[in-house]
Amino acid sequence: MQRLRDHLTPLSQLRYLAWRAMPLGREVTVKLRSGERLSLRPPPAEDLATAYEMFVAEVYRPPFSVRTDTTLRIVDVGANCGHSLLFWAKHYPRAHVVAFEPHPVHLAMLERNLALNALTPRVSLHRAAAGVSAGEVGLLDAESASTIVDASEGRSLRVPLVDFFEAIGDEPIDLLKMDIEGGEYALLEDPRFARLKIRTLIMEWHRTRERPDGKVWCEQRLAALGYEVTQGIWSSEVNGLLWARPREAEARP
């Protein structure tokens, strides 16, 4: 089984192993053989897990053909610590990315990872949660599982909320990625979602109290909007990945 360290340069492997052997609560910067530089925090931060998903498992490698030369605009909703942005930049070298991330700690890591890779000019960053209206919301402070909650719940942060549809405008989206811990339902339900011009969509569905049938609901909603839906690389009882593209794309030669 491949490990993250197997994908590091020899010098970074030594640095990584020393860092893992002496967890002192500090970050480490490593370089992948493919060229990306990563800033990683030790557990309980989940940077190692997200790096593994992006660069070892490659969970965002599409199950159908996606042209890299014509993928010019990517929208990443829930960019976390920025590893997905590095993945997009590597695999879609002509793309500009519009990213949304509300968690202040994740934002700091995201901006550090962009700077390490000289990618800041290629990303338009919204330091806010994506919703269907603008304002302020509570965000549960739970690492990569941080989610919008009632402000009265414990460990919640107050973060800005932007109207997703106003923020992205009417330009076509070549690739839309959503991983927002249950926040996907409000966006998918909004009538404006049907008007978006999306070539490829990758999303993580989540079983929530309001949507115990999360996967089925998302599949049916996307199908009703005219998308062909394909299951992603993994799925469990509580969450999983779905890919979608307009049905007419399937018929193209």
Side-chain angles (χ1 to χ4, degrees):
M1 179 179 177
Q2 288 284 301
R3 300 161 296 186
L4 178 64
R5 73 188 194 202
D6 299 324
H7 291 251
L8 302 178
T9 63
L11 181 59
S12 282
Q13 282 184 350
L14 295 175
R15 183 181 298 120
Y16 175 85
L17 290 171
W19 175 71
R20 292 286 280 165
M22 299 181 63
L24 300 175
R26 58 186 174 86
E27 298 170 18
V28 67
T29 298
V30 295
K31 184 178 181 180
L32 297 173
R33 295 178 188 271
S34 52
E36 298 91 337
R37 296 180 183 275
L38 308 179
S39 185
L40 302 170
R41 296 169 294 165
E46 297 180 3
D47 297 355
L48 289 170
T50 59
Y52 177 88
E53 289 180 356
M54 290 300 107
F55 307 109
V56 182
E58 292 192 319
V59 298
Y60 290 155
R61 183 175 290 277
F64 43 70
S65 177
V66 175
R67 291 187 57 176
T68 59
D69 59 331
T70 58
T71 299
L72 305 179
R73 188 178 190 230
I74 296 173
V75 176
D76 189 320
V77 191
N80 199 266
C81 62
H83 292 161
S84 59
L85 305 182
L86 307 188
F87 184 88
W88 305 135
K90 180 73 173 182
H91 291 274
Y92 304 97
R94 298 186 62 197
H96 185 84
V97 185
V98 180
F100 295 79
E101 176 54 51
H103 196 296
V105 176
H106 296 166
L107 277 169
M109 292 299 297
L110 181 157
E111 292 179 302
R112 196 166 307 153
N113 280 309
L114 290 180
L116 280 171
N117 294 274
L119 291 175
T120 303
R122 288 185 59 186
V123 177
S124 297
L125 180 59
H126 293 273
R127 298 170 177 83
V132 296
S133 62
E136 191 178 67
V137 292
L139 181 74
L140 182 67
D141 188 7
E143 279 297 328
S144 60
S146 298
T147 186
I148 301 301
V149 294
D150 186 278
S152 63
E153 294 193 35
R155 294 189 302 143
S156 65
L157 310 168
R158 298 301 295 174
V159 298
L161 178 73
V162 297
D163 187 314
F164 171 73
F165 300 97
E166 289 188 3
I168 61 171
D170 298 324
E171 291 181 58
I173 300 171
D174 296 307
L175 191 154
L176 170 62
K177 169 253 180 176
M178 292 194 296
D179 182 1
I180 46 179
E181 304 300 318
E184 62 271 16
Y185 298 108
L187 300 186
L188 289 170
E189 283 182 307
D190 193 289
R192 293 173 290 177
F193 193 92
R195 299 197 290 271
L196 297 180
K197 303 177 185 69
I198 303 168
R199 286 176 53 196
T200 302
L201 183 149
I202 168 67
M203 63 166 290
E204 184 170 326
W205 61 267
H206 302 83
R207 187 175 69 186
T208 66
R209 185 168 47 201
E210 296 78 16
R211 293 290 181 193
D213 59 342
K215 179 184 178 183
V216 172
W217 188 92
C218 290
E219 289 175 329
Q220 292 178 345
R221 174 61 175 161
L222 291 170
L225 292 172
Y227 290 91
E228 167 211 359
V229 183
T230 304
Q231 184 167 299
I233 195 171
W234 62 270
S235 185
S236 72
E237 292 185 358
V238 296
N239 61 355
L241 295 179
L242 292 175
W243 288 85
R245 59 178 175 173
R247 287 198 193 97
E248 60 267 24
E250 183 184 16
R252 292 173 192 159

